[in-house]
Amino acid sequence: MLLFQLLGVVVLLVFGGLNLGAGGVDALGDAVAIAILQGFFYVGMVLGPLVAARKGRGLVAEFALRFRWWDVPLGFVAGPVVQLGVVLLYLPFSGLLDREELGEPARQLARTADDTVGVIALAVVVVLCAPLVEELFFRGLLLGALRKRGLSDWPAVLVSSAVFGVAHFQPLQLPALFAFGVVSAWLVLRTGRLGPSIFMHMSFNGITMLALYLSGDLG
């Protein structure tokens, strides 16, 4: 059953990636429309955990969807640290990679928000929805499923992080996405819950949105 859930989400993500990669963002040209489209993707991603939770012990017990008050400061400190780590990760290749090209996917998405409503819609998707849904799927469902099927902790972390990176369809950003996935999965294993990774994800994405706003690419 889980295999079919994962396959369905992968097909959905491939369709979405091809659509956006073929100019879907420019074709839509509106952050609200993109938020709605992304919402459909997230519905597909969350169906797997919801169905599995219904057949199992629920979201809390099955996927460690738990929070503690200190998850907020922990996550909000970890987000900037990982942002700095991403910068250092690419530093040895600064002569080979174009920094503008590395940030282009985020800027392209940000430019679709040309009014207040668009900025709010984009912020809701990027800062609130994406961290919750992606952590629930990749670190809750996928990481947990790999461990239950016999993989030890670190192989499961590496595999789930690789899938997380590939699912974003951004080849140049793949090393950063993979590294982010490793840190997020490590937090889940270390704490036994999704709370810290969700707030770290929110912080990471929020910093990106703030940087885009300050640079004039957003709003």
Side-chain angles (χ1 to χ4, degrees):
M1 182 64 181
L2 179 59
L3 177 61
F4 287 105
Q5 293 164 8
L6 292 175
L7 181 61
V9 173
V10 168
V11 171
L12 184 63
L13 288 171
V14 169
F15 174 80
L18 291 175
N19 177 62
L20 296 178
V25 169
D26 292 333
L28 289 169
D30 179 62
V32 176
I34 293 173
I36 295 172
L37 178 64
Q38 194 68 34
F40 284 106
F41 298 157
Y42 289 155
V43 168
M45 291 183 70
V46 82
L47 279 178
L50 287 177
V51 173
R54 185 178 179 183
K55 293 179 176 295
R57 299 171 295 165
L59 286 173
V60 173
E62 196 74 22
F63 303 114
L65 188 60
R66 295 186 292 269
F67 301 91
R68 299 290 185 270
W69 70 265
W70 56 83
D71 293 346
V72 178
L74 175 60
F76 278 33
V77 167
V81 171
V82 176
Q83 283 274 8
L84 178 60
V86 167
V87 173
L88 296 177
L89 178 66
Y90 284 95
L91 195 59
F93 309 100
S94 57
L96 302 175
L97 298 173
D98 185 351
R99 290 183 61 185
E100 293 296 316
E101 190 175 356
L102 282 172
E104 184 56 30
R107 284 192 296 271
Q108 184 183 24
L109 184 60
R111 292 187 191 115
T112 65
D114 53 5
D115 55 22
T116 302
V117 175
V119 171
I120 293 173
L122 196 60
V124 168
V125 170
V126 172
V127 181
L128 296 178
C129 296
L132 179 60
V133 174
E134 291 183 5
E135 293 305 314
L136 179 60
F137 180 78
F138 291 105
R139 259 64 73 177
L141 177 66
L142 182 57
L143 177 64
L146 292 170
R147 294 175 69 206
K148 288 177 183 177
R149 278 155 180 75
L151 280 185
S152 56
D153 287 351
W154 277 106
V157 166
L158 296 177
V159 171
S160 63
S161 300
V163 174
F164 172 75
V166 171
H168 283 76
F169 299 96
Q170 297 176 359
L172 286 179
Q173 292 75 22
L174 181 58
L177 290 164
F178 176 77
F180 178 93
V182 169
V183 175
S184 184
W186 178 83
L187 277 176
V188 173
L189 293 181
R190 186 73 175 176
T191 64
R193 59 186 184 276
L194 291 178
S197 68
I198 289 173
F199 286 112
M200 182 187 75
H201 205 146
M202 288 180 176
S203 175
F204 186 96
N205 288 5
I207 291 171
T208 301
M209 291 282 290
L210 178 62
L212 290 169
Y213 177 78
L214 294 176
S215 67
D217 291 307
L218 178 64

